[in-house]
Amino acid sequence: MKLIKTILIVFVIISNTPLTAQETGFSDLLQNIDSREKIELNGMWDIIVDPLENGYYNHRLQVKDDGYFKNAKMESPSDLIEYNFDTSLQLMVPGDWNTQMDKLYYYEGTVWYKKDFNYTIDSNELAFLYFEAVNYESIVYLNGERIGSHVGGYTPFQFDVTDKLKEGTNFVVVKVDNKRKKENVPTVNQDWWNYGGITRSVHLVKTPISHIADYSIQLPKGNTKTIEGWVSVKNGKDGDAVNVSIPELKKNVDAVVKNGLAKFSIKAKPVLWEPKNPKTYEVILKTATDKITDHIGFRTIETKGSKILLNGKDIFLKGISIHEEAPFKTGRVVSKEECKILLQWAKELGCNFIRLAHYPHSEAMVREAEKMGFIIWSEIPVYWTIQFENKDTYANAKNQLTEMISRDKNRASVVLWSMANETPEGEARLSFIENLAKQARELDNTRLITAALDTQGYGDDGNLIEDPLGKVVDVIGINNYCGWYAGSTESCSKLKWASAYNKPMIMSEVGGGALYGLHGEKNERWTEEYQAEVYRTNIEMMRNIDFLAGLSPWILMDFRSSRRPLRRIQDDFNRKGLISEQGMKKQAFFILRDYYLNENN
Ligand code: GCU
């Protein structure tokens, strides 16, 4: 009896030991900047295109201390300054440079961006320069002083610049370099355009000195009656109160800060978020000095054998893959309106699921998808053959993973974290992705881990999934191009599948190319009829896969890729879209729509 009591006491102590901010594993990236006071730094920025990085290195390739980041001005007529942002070219931020200026269409290298802004010093506030995304490597300077750097083109980063700001006019300079390198993530070869630039919004976010930095509010795995979470308070002190209220659920609790973190657990019966009813609740977090409002949905997601269970119920994921290519104008998506156009097309297709490929898309895309009831697969660009042995490459991938999960951890729509796409089997690759999956589960044990594989064995009696990565993930993504890269279209419907794993499979890519408006026989490549036949026969194939839990065909809309030079057909576009980049629906769109609207409901 005495022994049982001792064990019980120990257990309670452990579970209630408050986590410190560091223990959340997150780097206090400000959560939910939409809810914060900020100065928008979007608009036209002055730029200098610098292919030789002359603004950074001297002729001895040493880093200059008087580079372009100084934004130097002539003070006397004899001064020699061989650059001037004020008389230079300009680019719109957010936006890629490739589609804004013809002469930068193929450009990969350094571009310097400069923006002036006014600031009024307030000793009661902190100020953070917050970048939603910059592709690929950025070095940030404020008023000529280096503030910091970031690597990775698709996740947010910030710098506390409170004590670097001046009263009145300030200037921020960003050296942006999108050169592809083997050790990068992604590496040198990718089937999407390497759009460079400050591709998402830039903000100067203001917070009180003691402020709510980050928070996580979710249902624990498999429990729909308890809302659990933590709030990380910066510059607070132990014992401070954080009020968590969910007015619509008449919930209002005070959590206590300890080591910068306030944990809470609320008994509640929220209406659960699901595609048919994407219910979210207003959640208000308040401290003595700060207040954040968010809209959060509550749902559980798990697997059972080869089934995916949303809120405990089996769900079939009727999906489509999407690249962050803007409809009509092309180039990187930069606005909520462009996100809505893409999502509306997916709605018309009858989808309840979207694979955001191959990198984290904008927060606006994920939030709009949540409002529209789309379940989301979110992925980091561990794509094809990156350097799995390279420790820096791993640290880079891990950082992008952490930033992705940090930003979207409160989004009910996001249920799958994808670690990789089409990576070659091998020991180094396996441990690389095993470690990423471990990191993801430590950061967030409420969601499912997946990866898109193309390693299935092609046997006479069908395809066999036995990639060792199948052990690591919760859901197995399979990219399969029967009728396009392998096999005739007729052969697909007869294709059998088997798996070494009793786990759900998502056909994460399937499909073929067609140029909108090109018509002919169904065995004529690039015609809409050929693409439609690929869909017809692959859908037949998928009907016979009893462990299939969903699909996200490749792809909603044609997208730019420098791997697609076939003139008059591709013209630098991957033509596997069901819709052309000018919004024209191809025959295959309706084949897939009919499958989604008439089956698996
Ligand atoms: C691959 C890859 C995609 C690519 C597609 C294609 O499977 O994952 O990024 O665009 O095939 O070849 O069209």
Side-chain angles (χ1 to χ4, degrees), residues 191 358 383 421-422 479 481 485 509 554 559 564 574 576:
D191 191 24
H358 292 291
Y383 181 91
N421 180 75
E422 294 192 351
N479 295 357
Y481 283 93
Y485 289 129
E509 289 183 34
W554 195 259
F559 62 95
R564 310 295 171 173
N574 181 312
K576 294 192 180 69

Side-chain angles (χ1 to χ4, degrees), residues 301-312:
I301 188 76
E302 50 213 314
T303 65
K304 194 161 180 226
S306 64
K307 300 292 179 210
I308 294 178
L309 308 182
L310 177 71
N311 303 327

Side-chain angles (χ1 to χ4, degrees), residues 225-495:
K225 299 191 175 50
T226 312
I227 295 173
E228 269 188 2
W230 50 262
V231 179
S232 140
V233 177
K234 267 271 177 258
N235 306 324
K237 58 188 186 307
D238 283 5
D240 283 358
V242 176
N243 178 264
V244 180
S245 70
I246 311 176
E248 205 182 332
L249 290 173
K250 301 190 176 36
K251 297 296 172 185
N252 190 316
V253 299
D254 278 335
V256 179
V257 173
K258 189 157 182 5
N259 303 329
L261 211 67
K263 288 183 59 179
F264 60 88
S265 176
I266 307 172
K267 289 269 167 277
K269 284 205 184 72
V271 172
L272 299 176
W273 183 97
E274 59 164 331
K276 292 199 176 90
N277 179 20
K279 172 72 183 155
T280 59
Y281 288 86
E282 183 183 48
V283 177
I284 304 164
L285 306 174
K286 266 194 295 201
T287 64
T289 54
D290 201 5
K291 177 184 176 186
I292 296 285
T293 303
D294 203 343
H295 289 81
I296 296 179
F298 300 104
R299 54 95 191 95
T300 64
I301 188 76
E302 50 213 314
T303 65
K304 194 161 180 226
S306 64
K307 300 292 179 210
I308 294 178
L309 308 182
L310 177 71
N311 303 327
K313 286 194 295 275
D314 175 7
I315 184 164
F316 185 81
L317 301 180
K318 301 187 278 187
I320 193 75
S321 294
I322 295 183
H323 252 303
E324 202 178 41
E325 182 85 48
F328 308 110
K329 82 170 195 359
T330 75
R332 271 276 162 259
V333 167
V334 291
S335 69
K336 215 178 264 185
E337 288 60 42
E338 289 167 340
C339 297
K340 287 182 181 167
I341 293 170
L342 295 169
L343 295 171
Q344 192 46 46
W345 284 336
K347 201 50 100 180
E348 286 168 42
L349 200 49
C351 293
N352 62 7
F353 169 55
I354 291 176
R355 176 188 178 197
L356 297 177
H358 292 291
Y359 38 78
H361 289 213
S362 69
E363 185 168 354
M365 184 66 161
V366 175
R367 283 182 179 267
E368 284 307 313
E370 180 166 80
K371 284 190 202 134
M372 293 173 73
F374 289 110
I375 289 172
I376 294 288
W377 159 314
S378 187
E379 182 165 293
I380 52 172
V382 172
Y383 181 91
W384 286 347
T385 315
I386 67 165
Q387 292 187 337
F388 296 106
E389 299 80 7
N390 182 327
K391 296 257 164 308
D392 297 336
T393 299
Y394 178 75
N396 177 354
K398 182 182 175 190
N399 181 55
Q400 294 190 43
L401 177 70
T402 304
E403 289 173 348
M404 170 175 79
I405 298 179
S406 177
R407 189 195 74 187
D408 295 340
K409 60 184 173 298
N410 291 305
R411 305 278 72 77
S413 56
V414 180
V415 303
L416 287 152
W417 298 125
S418 172
M419 303 298 112
N421 180 75
E422 294 192 351
T423 50
E425 285 194 41
E427 270 318 301
R429 169 256 204 179
L430 185 59
S431 67
F432 189 106
I433 299 175
E434 258 172 350
N435 291 330
L436 286 177
K438 186 164 165 292
Q439 167 72 358
R441 290 187 172 109
E442 275 162 17
L443 291 173
D444 169 26
N445 67 358
T446 68
R447 291 180 175 83
L448 304 174
I449 303 297
T450 189
L453 312 179
D454 66 342
T455 52
Q456 58 275 21
Y458 294 90
D460 299 351
D461 51 3
N463 291 357
L464 174 60
I465 303 167
E466 53 185 355
D467 185 319
L469 210 45
K471 282 197 216 71
V472 175
V473 296
D474 303 307
V475 173
I476 300 172
I478 292 288
N479 295 357
N480 178 70
Y481 283 93
C482 181
W484 187 257
Y485 289 129
S488 63
T489 49
E490 305 80 59
S491 69
C492 309
S493 44
K494 296 185 279 305
L495 206 53

